[in-house]
Amino acid sequence: MNGLAGKTALVTGANSETGQAIAVRLAREGCNVVINYGRKIEEGKYTEKLVLQAADEAGNSVQTLLVQGDISKEDDIVRMVNIAIERFGSLDVLVEQRRNSFCISFA
């Protein structure tokens, strides 16, 4: 995952075990992480804590952003992408994580 420092990633389902692991790995690589959570902000905040801790341990300074949304709803997806771009200026990586599968897209 070289070259991710300073990039921005949106990780959907980041409160799941797989989503958390991906978000943490991106932060270790120096990537800013937009953390999507479903209904419980506490789960998003826990993932955010893990992300920031991992980045710090790796000597990286990253920013995070929590966004609530349902990835089965197109309006929520568009809103989350727009919020990420507003905050960070671009969206470089999209990780769509559902149940036991995920898809990673690079801009």
Side-chain angles (χ1 to χ4, degrees):
M1 284 200 237
N2 293 335
L4 290 175
K7 303 288 186 184
T8 299
L10 167 59
V11 181
T12 66
N15 56 326
S16 70
E17 197 171 307
T18 302
Q20 275 181 351
I22 293 168
V24 164
R25 178 58 192 253
L26 288 166
R28 281 190 183 126
E29 298 296 326
C31 196
N32 297 315
V33 182
V34 180
I35 300 165
N36 163 243
Y37 64 94
R39 295 183 186 101
K40 298 179 182 177
I41 193 168
E42 297 82 19
E43 292 174 352
K45 287 182 178 181
Y46 179 69
T47 299
E48 181 179 44
K49 177 183 171 184
L50 296 176
V51 163
L52 293 172
Q53 181 179 3
D56 186 55
E57 289 171 358
N60 292 319
S61 176
V62 303
Q63 296 180 41
T64 59
L65 177 64
L66 294 171
V67 292
Q68 191 280 330
D70 181 343
I71 62 169
S72 70
K73 297 179 180 176
E74 184 178 350
D75 288 346
D76 279 9
I77 296 168
V78 170
R79 181 182 53 79
M80 289 187 291
V81 167
N82 287 335
I83 289 170
I85 292 170
E86 275 181 31
R87 170 76 181 274
F88 295 104
S90 67
L91 182 60
D92 307 293
V93 180
L94 173 62
V95 180
E96 181 183 352
Q97 195 281 312
R98 290 186 194 195
R99 296 188 183 161
N100 295 323
S101 64
F102 63 92
C103 174
I104 300 176
S105 301
F106 295 90

